[in-house]
Amino acid sequence: MPRVYASSVIDAPAARVWEKIRDFNALPRWHPRIRESRIENGEPSDKVGCVRDFRLQNGDRLREKLLGLSDYDMFCTYAILESPMPLTDYIATLRLTPISDGDRTFIEWTAEFDCAAEVAADLVDGIGSGVFQAGFDALKRQMAG
Amino acid sequence: MVRIVESTILDAPVEAVWAVLRDFNGHDKWHPAVADSHIERGYASDKIGCVRRFHLADGSELREQLLTLSDADMAFSYCLMETPVPLLNYVAHVRLAPVTDGDRTFWHWQCRFDTPTGRETELRDMVANNIYRAGFDAVREHMGLPAARQGGRP
């Protein structure tokens, strides 16, 4: 089962970063690859089980279901229900941990999924750099200053 | 119950930091508080259950037992068995994680312990400053890394 792991340091307190990312419907407000998002059935975006239906800048559509959300541990876990990517059983977790030295944030994003062996390397690279690291870079820019 | 959580970023690959930290008997090589250390009964320092007996610079003796060690998670935990200061039921967890953005290391060190009423703040500060934060700085120095940033964000 291919696994993606990316992590970074954001120069802002974890509570501030969490405020920005805890909203499961907020991707267009911080992730540059996401154009628009909505939560299906008018549910609140912190209701575990809710589904976000969103579009990338290139028009691709994805649906993802919120599996877990913890304000105490500052993580969110979700699964892909529909996407244009050739993969199945995709589950990802985005997690923050405070760095006490300097009051910064350690951010980790992991994913596991199934796919055909010949596309695994491309998917791991694409998700790791195009989605996870691109999100970190955007957060670092937005949280600076 | 007192809890301490300290964490930092080291400007070195996680494998290199783990190579230093995973030796349960290696702390006298880098931690300024530890004068000498040995593992009792000739056990290997990565044998779960082994006990390190060590002396601080002031001569006091401590014994700590290795409870868990995981190369897969780059983590270990240990408890204090004997100490001249009242740190009771002391259990600590050390864990490293790679910072893939820049090939650095996240180092998380936490513990909990009981202590007589009235001494919580004193002992929390002692452990957090003299053991954990001093340990972060000492490993940086041991590995020849740049000194820690001071204070908060600029």
Side-chain angles (χ1 to χ4, degrees), chain B residues 87-152:
Chain B
L87 298 170
L88 312 170
N89 304 315
Y90 175 101
V91 180
H93 302 269
V94 170
R95 145 176 104 83
L96 302 182
V99 182
T100 58
D101 183 4
D103 200 11
R104 293 168 289 168
T105 299
F106 173 69
W107 177 357
H108 196 258
W109 199 349
Q110 65 174 5
C111 71
R112 58 173 176 72
F113 58 86
D114 295 311
T115 195
T117 306
R119 300 198 64 184
E120 294 92 341
T121 306
E122 169 208 350
L123 289 170
R124 176 193 286 117
D125 291 350
M126 188 274 285
V127 173
N129 293 323
N130 302 358
I131 308 300
Y132 292 11
R133 289 179 202 159
F136 293 159
D137 289 342
V139 166
R140 282 192 182 92
E141 196 181 329
H142 180 74
M143 297 182 70
L145 304 175
R149 37 183 285 166
Q150 297 297 316

Side-chain angles (χ1 to χ4, degrees), chain A residues 9 15 18 27 34-35 54 73 97 101 104 108-109 117 124:
Chain A
V9 175
W18 181 242
L27 280 178
I34 315 298
R35 192 168 72 198
F54 61 99
D73 293 313
T97 309
D101 175 14
R104 294 168 288 168
E108 298 173 281
W109 210 336
V124 167

